[in-house]
C-alpha cells in the first residue's frame, strides 16, 4: 500500500513515502514517477510498507504516478549495498548514488533509454512439398532446404550476411507464401551469443601444469568462495581468467573483470573478444554516458546475458544478475581504492563481500599479492591460495641489476641515465628489441629552485612545489599536479630578486630529452597521464609501440601494470629513491610490488630480459628481496612487524578529513568533532589521535586537518551518524570519512 522512495532532492537525496493507490505491481528497485513540490521526479523504490508511518498519520500522502522503468535487480545486490554503506560509514542513499550511473535519477530524460531494436526473423510457412506450379530458382531451393534443417526461426540479418542469401531471394519466397517473417524486439547485445554454439579459440592453447591445477581448484570451489591466483609475471594468469570465465558463461552466469587502470583495459578487451565476441563490453569513466547507461540496463534487465564486463573499480556496482564470477586483476594495486569523492571504498573489499552475498566465485590475481589478500588465505576458508610458479614456456626470470648512482657521480657522470643503462639501450636496437623506462614523475622536472636563496617555487593554492613542464618547442611552464594550477616561469625570485633559477629532479619529458641527445636515431614514445588524455590514448600508444614504431617507451607507474609486450627485453627504473623513502606505512610493500611488476615486463617473449634499477641507496632492504625474488619472505617479515606494532591489517584504521577555506575555523571544527567522538572511541576500545594538519596542509586554497582512529579488526569506526556529524560542521567546511586508508 505504501512505498518508501529515494529521490535525488538536495545534495544527499531524501526518502519520501508515497501511496500505491492504483495497486500497481511495483518491486523494490523499480524507478517510478512521482510529484514533489509541483515537479516531476524519478525515484527508486527502496522499501514497501503495509501501513502508513506513524508520523504521517494525519498527512496527505501523495500517490505514485506510474512506473518509469521496471527493474529486476537481485535483492542480494541491495543487501550488499546496505552493508557496504555501514562499513564505509555513509548513508545508504549516498552509496546508492555512487552505484548508479550519473544522472540516472532526477527530473531528466536519458538519451537512448530504450536499448531495444527491431529484428526480423524468417521461417517456413509450410512443411509439405512445394507445388509444381511454383517455379523456383536454385538459390530459392537452397534457402528452403536450409530452413527445413533449422529447428528455430533465424534472423533475416544472419541469413543475409552469414548464409549469403540475397534479399530478393527471401522476398520472392515471401510473395509465394513459402516463408514468413516476424518482427521481434531484441537488444544491442545479442541474446544468443556465438560462443554458446562454438568452441572457444582459447581452448586450443596448451595449458601449463600450474594453469591446469589452478582451474581444477577453481572448478571445485563452492559458490561464495574464491582463489588468490599468485602467478609470477608471464605465467599465464589471463589465460586462467578466460577459461574460468568461459565455464561460467556456459552455465548462464555473467562475469565481471576488474582492472586497476583504464590503460590495462584495451589489451584485456582485445584478448577476451577473440574468445567471446561481442558479448564482451567495457565500463569505465571514459565510456560515454549513453554507453554506461546501456550496459547498466543490460545488467539488471538480464537481456542478452550472459555477458563479460571489463571495467575499473566503479564497475563493481553493476547489478549483474546472475553474477557467476568476479575477477580482480592486479588485486594489489592501490587504484582499487577510491579516495575522492566519498564513499572511500576499496573495490577488493567490496568484491569479496559481494561474492559471498551474491553467491558467486571470485579470483584475485597478482604477481605480487597484497598483504591483506595473502593473510586472508592463511586465516580464511573462503579464499584459497593457488600458485603459478613458472613463466609460460619455462622462460627464465629477467636478470636484475642494481646501479649505484653514487659511483656514477663520483666518476664524473652527472646524467640521470647511467652509463651501463645507456650501453644496454644501444644494444637493443641492433638486436631489434625494445625497452621500457619508468620515471616516478611526469613533466620535465620535480621542482624549480632559486640558486641564490634556495627558495622553492610553490603553488599559490597548495603547499606543494610546482612541477616544471616543457613542450617540444622548448617552451616551459609550471604546473601543480594537485589542483591543476598553471603559470609561466618568472624571471626573478620573489624572495631575493635573483634570476638564477634551476630545475631539480627528473620527469618523463626530461628523460626523453636526454635519451634523444644520447641515442641518435632512436624512436621514443612517452606514456603518462599527459600523453594519454585523449579517448583511446592508452590503446593507440601501446599499439604503436607493439607494432615496432618505437624503440623505447618512457612512462610513469602505468608501465608496470600488466602490459604484455613480447619484444621488450630491457626494463629500467630511474630515480628509484623517490619510491623507497616515502613516509608511509605501506611504502616498502608498494615499492617492492612496483619494482617486481616492472621487472616482469622484460623478457616475456622468446628472449631473456634484463632489468636496471638506479638508486643512491643500493643497500636498502627492499633491494635484497628484489634481486633474490623473495617476495613471500618479505610478506612473512612484514606481517610479523605489523602484528607486533598492532598495525593494519591487524587493526582497522579510519581517517576523518576536515577541510575549509579558513585554517582557524577548520582546525576548531576538527577539535569539536574529535571531542564529540572521544568518549565513544574509549568505550569501543578505539584509539583517537589528533586532530593534526594533513601532510599537505593546503590544497586548492583549502586548509586540511585530520583525525586518526584505529581499533579492532573488522569493527565499525565509533562515529556518530552522518546527519549528527554534519550538524557540527560550519557552512564552508567539508567532512570526509576514509575507512581503511591506503595513504596516511
Amino acid at each position: 500500500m505504501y512505498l518508501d522512495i529515494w529521490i535525488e532532492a538536495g545534495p544527499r537525496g531524501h526518502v519520501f513515502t508515497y501511496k500505491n493507490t492504483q495497486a500497481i505491481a511495483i518491486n523494490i528497485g523499480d524507478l517510478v514517477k512521482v510529484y514533489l513540490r509541483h515537479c516531476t521526479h524519478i525515484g527508486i523504490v527502496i522499501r514497501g510498507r503495509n501501513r502508513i508511518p506513524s508520523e504521517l498519520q494525519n498527512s496527505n500522502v501523495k500517490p505514485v504516478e506510474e512506473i518509469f522503468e521496471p527493474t529486476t535487480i537481485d535483492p542480494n545486490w541491495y543487501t550488499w549495498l546496505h552493508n557496504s554503506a555501514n562499513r564505509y560509514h555513509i548513508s545508504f542513499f549516498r552509496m546508492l548514488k555512487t552505484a548508479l550511473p550519473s544522472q540516472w535519477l532526477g527530473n531528466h530524460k536519458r538519451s537512448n533509454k530504450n536499448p531495444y531494436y527491431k529484428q526480423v526473423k524468417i521461417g517456413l510457412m509450410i512443411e509439405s512439398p512445394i507445388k509444381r506450379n511454383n517455379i523456383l530458382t536454385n538459390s530459392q531451393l537452397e534457402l528452403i532446404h536450409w530452413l527445413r534443417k533449422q529447428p528455430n526461426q533465424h534472423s533475416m540479418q544472419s541469413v543475409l550476411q552469414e548464409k549469403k542469401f540475397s534479399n530478393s531471394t527471401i522476398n520472392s519466397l515471401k510473395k509465394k507464401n513459402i516463408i514468413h517473417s516476424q518482427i521481434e524486439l531484441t537488444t544491442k547485445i545479442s541474446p544468443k551469443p556465438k560462443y554458446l554454439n562454438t568452441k572457444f579459440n582459447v581452448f586450443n592453447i596448451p595449458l601449463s601444469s600450474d594453469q591446469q591445477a589452478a582451474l581444477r581448484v577453481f572448478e571445485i570451489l563452492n559458490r561464495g568462495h574464491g582463489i588468490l591466483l599468485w602467478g609470477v609475471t608471464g605465467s599465464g594468469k589471463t589465460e586462467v581468467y578466460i577459461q574460468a570465465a568461459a565455464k561460467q558463461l556456459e552455465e548462464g552466469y555473467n562475469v565481471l573483470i576488474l582492472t586497476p587502470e583504464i590503460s590495462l583495459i584495451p589489451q584485456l578487451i582485445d584478448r577476451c573478444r577473440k574468445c567471446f565476441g561481442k558479448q564482451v563490453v567495457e565500463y569505465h569513466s571514459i565510456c560515454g554516458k549513453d554507453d554506461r547507461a546501456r550496459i547498466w540496463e543490460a545488467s539488471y534487465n538480464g537481456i542478452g546475458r550472459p555477458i563479460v564486463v571489463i571495467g575499473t573499480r566503479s564497475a563493481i556496482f553493476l547489478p549483474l544478475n546472475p553474477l557467476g564470477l568476479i575477477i580482480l586483476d592486479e588485486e594489489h594495486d592501490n587504484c582499487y581504492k577510491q579516495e575522492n569523492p566519498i564513499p572511500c571504498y576499496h573495490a577488493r573489499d567490496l568484491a569479496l563481500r559481494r561474492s559471498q552475498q551474491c553467491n558467486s566465485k571470485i579470483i584475485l590475481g597478482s604477481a605480487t599479492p597484497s598483504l591483506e589478500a595473502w593473510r586472508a588465505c592463511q586465516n580464511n576458508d573462503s579464499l584459497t591460495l593457488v600458485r603459478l610458479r613458472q613463466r609460460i614456456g619455462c622462460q627464465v626470470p629477467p636478470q636484475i641489476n642494481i646501479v649505484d648512482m653514487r659511483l656514477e657521480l663520483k666518476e664524473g657522470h652527472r646524467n640521470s641515465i647511467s652509463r651501463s643503462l645507456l650501453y644496454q639501450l644501444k644494444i637493443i636496437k641492433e638486436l631489434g628489441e625494445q625497452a621500457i623506462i619508468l620515471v616516478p614523475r611526469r613533466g620535465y622536472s620535480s621542482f624549480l629552485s632559486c640558486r641564490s636563496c634556495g627558495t622553492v617555487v610553490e603553488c599559490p593554492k597548495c603547499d606543494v612545489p610546482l612541477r616544471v613542464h616543457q613542450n617540444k618547442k622548448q617552451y616551459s611552464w609550471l604546473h601543480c599536479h594537485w589542483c591543476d594550477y598553471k603559470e609561466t616561469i618568472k624571471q626573478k625570485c620573489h624572495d631575493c630578486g635573483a634570476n638564477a633559477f634551476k630545475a631539480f629532479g627528473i620527469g618523463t619529458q626530461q628523460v626523453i630529452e636526454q635519451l634523444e641527445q644520447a641515442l641518435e636515431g632512436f624512436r621514443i614514445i612517452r606514456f603518462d597521464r599527459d600523453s594519454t588524455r585523449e579517448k583511446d590514448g592508452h590503446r593507440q600508444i601501446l599499439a604503436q609501440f607493439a607494432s615496432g614504431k618505437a624503440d623505447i617507451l618512457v612512462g610513469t607507474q602505468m608501465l608496470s601494470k600488466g602490459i604484455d609486450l613480447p619484444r621488450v627485453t630491457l626494463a629500467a627504473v630511474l630515480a628509484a629513491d623517490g619510491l623507497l623513502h616515502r613516509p608511509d606505512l605501506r611504502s616498502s610493500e608498494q615499492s617492492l610490488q612496483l619494482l617486481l611488476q616492472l621487472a616482469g615486463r622484460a623478457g616475456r617473449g622468446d628472449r631473456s630480459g634484463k632489468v636496471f634499477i638506479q638508486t643512491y641507496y643500493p643497500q636498502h632492504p627492499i633491494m635484497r628481496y628484489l634481486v633474490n625474488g623473495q617476495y613471500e619472505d618479505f610478506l612473512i617479515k612484514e606481517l610479523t612487524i605489523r602484528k607486533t606494532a598492532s598495525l593494519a591489517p591487524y587493526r582497522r584504521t579510519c581517517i576523518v578529513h576536515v577541510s575549509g577555506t579558513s585554517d582557524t575555523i577548520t582546525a576548531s571544527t576538527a577539535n569539536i568533532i574529535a571531542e564529540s567522538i572521544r568518549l565513544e572511541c574509549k568505550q569501543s576500545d578505539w584509539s583517537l589521535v589528533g586532530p593534526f594538519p594533513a601532510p599537505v596542509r593546503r590544497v586548492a586554497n583549502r586548509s586540511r586537518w585530520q583525525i586518526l582512529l584505529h581499533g579492532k579488526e573488522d569493527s565499525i569506526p565509533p562515529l556518530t551518524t552522518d546527519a549528527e556529524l554534519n550538524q557540527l560542521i560550519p557552512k564552508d567546511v567539508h567532512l570526509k570519512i576514509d575507512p581503511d586508508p591506503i595513504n596516511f
Side-chain angles (χ1 to χ4, degrees):
M1 287 296 296
Y2 297 93
L3 301 169
D4 286 352
I5 299 171
W6 184 78
I7 298 174
E8 193 174 15
R12 298 178 181 87
H14 198 77
V15 177
F16 297 92
T17 300
Y18 286 82
K19 190 173 183 179
N20 188 6
T21 53
Q22 303 178 42
I24 307 172
I26 300 177
N27 297 311
I28 303 298
D30 286 351
L31 301 182
V32 294
K33 186 180 293 186
V34 295
Y35 281 103
L36 178 66
R37 295 177 182 173
H38 308 293
C39 294
T40 302
H41 288 263
I42 305 301
I44 187 166
V45 179
I46 64 169
R47 189 185 301 111
R49 296 175 179 268
N50 291 324
R51 298 179 181 178
I52 189 171
S54 57
E55 64 271 18
L56 297 178
Q57 287 289 348
N58 300 321
S59 302
N60 182 21
V61 180
K62 295 181 180 179
V64 173
E65 297 300 315
E66 61 179 336
I67 291 183
F68 178 73
E69 186 169 346
T71 64
T72 54
I73 298 178
D74 183 0
N76 286 323
W77 184 85
Y78 276 101
T79 303
W80 164 72
L81 211 60
H82 268 289
N83 294 338
S84 300
N86 292 333
R87 180 168 178 81
Y88 292 104
H89 200 82
I90 193 171
S91 68
F92 170 68
F93 315 114
R94 281 200 182 185
M95 200 75 189
L96 185 63
K97 189 175 180 180
T98 301
L100 296 173
S102 59
Q103 297 184 345
W104 188 259
L105 301 176
N107 187 14
H108 70 281
K109 292 182 179 179
R110 290 202 302 277
S111 60
N112 194 25
K113 174 184 156 307
N114 191 342
Y116 302 100
Y117 71 95
K118 292 180 179 180
Q119 179 172 289
V120 180
K121 289 194 171 184
I122 61 173
L124 286 175
M125 286 186 66
I126 54 176
E127 295 295 338
S128 56
I130 307 298
K131 293 181 180 180
R132 290 184 176 276
N133 59 355
N134 279 320
I135 301 175
L136 302 174
T137 64
N138 288 336
S139 60
Q140 291 172 353
L141 287 169
E142 188 178 349
L143 175 56
I144 293 170
H145 180 68
W146 181 79
L147 285 173
R148 278 179 173 161
K149 290 182 178 180
Q150 308 308 312
N152 301 311
Q153 294 181 348
H154 269 258
S155 73
M156 188 167 173
Q157 185 178 6
S158 67
V159 173
L160 291 171
Q161 293 179 356
E162 298 177 19
K163 303 305 175 184
K164 308 301 182 184
F165 293 111
S166 67
N167 224 329
S168 59
T169 300
I170 296 173
N171 290 332
S172 61
L173 289 177
K174 285 170 65 177
K175 290 179 181 178
K176 295 175 181 179
N177 294 323
I178 296 175
I179 66 173
H180 67 91
S181 62
Q182 179 180 346
I183 296 176
E184 290 187 1
L185 292 179
T186 185
T187 60
K188 291 185 178 179
I189 300 176
S190 171
K192 291 190 71 175
K194 292 181 182 179
Y195 56 75
L196 292 181
N197 300 321
T198 60
K199 291 184 178 180
F200 296 111
N201 296 330
V202 72
F203 288 166
N204 297 324
I205 299 175
L207 297 178
S208 68
S209 57
D210 283 350
Q211 289 174 316
Q212 294 175 24
L215 286 169
R216 284 196 297 269
V217 173
F218 175 78
E219 288 174 5
I220 63 175
L221 279 178
N222 293 325
R223 295 210 165 269
H225 292 66
I227 61 173
L228 170 59
L229 186 63
W230 182 348
V232 298
T233 52
S235 59
K237 291 186 292 296
T238 305
E239 193 65 32
V240 176
Y241 299 159
I242 290 175
Q243 298 213 18
K247 185 68 175 177
Q248 298 302 306
L249 292 169
E250 287 176 349
E251 295 177 5
Y253 289 101
N254 295 294
V255 176
L256 176 61
I257 304 178
L258 301 183
T259 66
E261 285 196 0
I262 295 174
S263 61
L264 300 180
I265 289 181
Q267 285 191 152
L268 196 52
I269 284 279
D270 294 342
R271 184 88 173 269
C272 288
R273 280 183 177 160
K274 287 180 181 178
C275 307
F276 309 134
K278 295 181 180 179
Q279 302 309 118
V280 179
V281 295
E282 51 188 311
Y283 188 90
H284 49 78
S285 58
I286 294 182
C287 296
K289 291 181 180 179
D290 289 348
D291 292 333
R292 292 201 298 273
R294 179 174 62 84
I295 300 304
W296 181 272
E297 289 169 1
S299 298
Y300 74 70
N301 280 328
I303 298 173
R305 65 172 183 255
I307 60 174
V308 178
V309 180
I310 300 176
T312 49
R313 62 176 181 248
S314 61
I316 189 61
F317 295 109
L318 282 172
L320 291 162
N321 184 29
L323 178 58
L325 174 61
I326 304 173
I327 299 173
L328 266 79
D329 190 28
E330 309 293 348
E331 64 82 21
H332 66 277
D333 200 286
N334 288 345
C335 289
Y336 281 123
K337 169 71 174 181
Q338 173 155 303
E339 295 184 308
N340 196 48
I342 56 173
C344 301
Y345 65 87
H346 199 301
R348 182 182 61 229
D349 178 59
L350 288 179
L352 286 167
R353 295 174 184 277
R354 184 175 181 183
S355 69
Q356 295 174 354
Q357 180 67 47
C358 299
N359 207 28
S360 60
K361 296 184 179 183
I362 186 169
I363 298 177
L364 305 180
S366 177
T368 54
S370 64
L371 199 62
E372 289 80 3
W374 183 75
R375 176 176 175 251
C377 291
Q378 322 299 318
N379 305 327
N380 191 343
D381 293 337
S382 64
L383 199 63
T384 303
L385 177 63
V386 179
R387 300 290 294 267
L388 303 179
R389 298 179 182 274
Q390 290 187 332
R391 286 185 161 194
I392 295 297
C394 297
Q395 300 162 340
V396 296
Q399 175 189 343
I400 298 179
N401 304 275
I402 307 299
V403 181
D404 190 346
M405 295 300 289
R406 296 174 302 180
L407 298 178
E408 293 281 317
L409 191 62
K410 187 177 180 179
E411 295 173 6
H413 184 77
R414 298 183 179 277
N415 197 305
S416 59
I417 306 170
S418 64
R419 291 168 296 178
S420 56
L421 178 55
L422 281 173
Y423 174 75
Q424 293 295 329
L425 288 170
K426 291 176 182 178
I427 293 176
I428 63 163
K429 186 163 185 175
E430 299 173 4
L431 299 175
E433 299 170 352
Q434 294 176 310
I436 58 174
I437 299 178
L438 185 147
V439 185
R441 297 189 182 278
R442 58 192 171 101
Y444 189 84
S445 295
S446 299
F447 62 93
L448 191 69
S449 176
C450 175
R451 302 178 70 178
S452 177
C453 67
T455 299
V456 175
V457 181
E458 292 191 340
C459 175
K461 300 179 180 180
C462 311
D463 291 339
V464 295
L466 287 169
R467 310 292 179 191
V468 182
H469 283 246
Q470 182 174 290
N471 61 16
K472 293 182 179 179
K473 297 181 180 179
Q474 304 299 309
Y475 172 75
S476 300
W477 70 95
L478 299 175
H479 185 194
C480 177
H481 291 177
W482 287 74
C483 71
D484 209 33
Y485 170 82
K486 297 176 183 177
E487 71 172 36
T488 57
I489 297 178
K490 295 180 173 59
Q491 297 299 317
K492 292 185 178 181
C493 174
H494 64 81
D495 280 3
C496 68
N499 58 359
F501 284 110
K502 183 178 180 180
F504 292 86
I506 58 170
T508 50
Q509 292 176 320
Q510 186 179 154
V511 170
I512 289 177
E513 182 181 277
Q514 293 180 6
L515 288 171
E516 289 173 342
Q517 293 173 357
L519 304 171
E520 186 177 352
F522 274 65
R523 298 161 298 174
I524 305 169
I525 298 178
R526 181 158 59 105
F527 187 64
D528 57 21
R529 190 182 301 176
D530 294 327
S531 63
T532 57
R533 291 186 185 276
E534 297 180 2
K535 187 175 181 180
D536 288 335
H538 302 86
R539 184 191 294 269
Q540 292 171 10
I541 291 176
L542 289 177
Q544 186 179 358
F545 186 67
S547 63
K549 294 181 179 178
D551 306 300
I552 303 173
L553 187 65
V554 178
T556 50
Q557 297 184 21
M558 294 157 52
L559 283 177
S560 66
K561 300 178 181 181
I563 298 174
D564 188 8
L565 300 166
R567 291 179 59 192
V568 170
T569 58
L570 177 63
V573 180
L574 308 187
D577 303 272
L579 304 170
L580 300 173
H581 302 298
R582 292 180 295 114
D584 192 278
L585 170 67
R586 294 181 171 87
S587 62
S588 295
E589 179 187 358
Q590 293 171 359
S591 299
L592 183 55
Q593 287 170 344
L594 176 64
L595 296 175
L596 284 171
Q597 289 284 339
L598 182 82
R601 303 308 118 205
R604 297 172 72 94
D606 54 2
R607 302 182 185 182
S608 59
K610 292 183 179 180
V611 181
F612 284 76
I613 310 295
Q614 296 187 175
T615 176
Y616 287 92
Y617 190 33
Q619 68 272 25
H620 193 286
I622 289 300
M623 295 303 172
R624 176 172 59 85
Y625 294 114
L626 175 65
V627 172
N628 298 332
Q630 298 173 332
Y631 186 67
E632 188 166 9
D633 291 347
F634 166 79
L635 290 177
I636 294 171
K637 185 174 181 180
E638 185 72 9
L639 203 61
T640 303
I641 294 172
R642 301 272 190 95
K643 186 175 183 178
T644 303
S646 295
L647 297 173
Y650 291 96
R651 298 276 283 179
R652 195 173 185 214
T653 307
C654 178
I655 294 181
V656 180
H657 298 268
V658 185
S659 65
T661 54
S662 166
D663 186 65
T664 304
I665 295 175
T666 304
S668 62
T669 302
N671 276 288
I672 291 171
I673 292 173
E675 291 306 315
S676 70
I677 63 176
R678 193 177 298 278
L679 179 61
E680 184 74 22
C681 288
K682 187 175 181 180
Q683 293 174 347
S684 304
D685 195 25
W686 273 68
S687 299
L688 185 151
V689 182
F692 51 87
V696 179
R697 185 164 181 162
R698 188 170 58 103
V699 172
N701 280 332
R702 295 187 67 85
S703 173
R704 309 196 310 162
W705 285 70
Q706 296 179 351
I707 304 168
L708 176 63
L709 308 175
H710 57 97
K712 295 178 181 178
E713 184 182 357
D714 286 332
S715 60
I716 302 297
L719 296 168
T720 54
T721 64
D722 200 20
E724 291 174 335
L725 283 175
N726 286 321
Q727 290 178 358
L728 304 174
I729 301 173
K731 183 178 180 181
D732 294 329
V733 176
H734 292 166
L735 176 69
K736 184 179 78 171
I737 298 171
D738 185 4
D740 311 311
I742 291 294
N743 300 308
F744 288 87

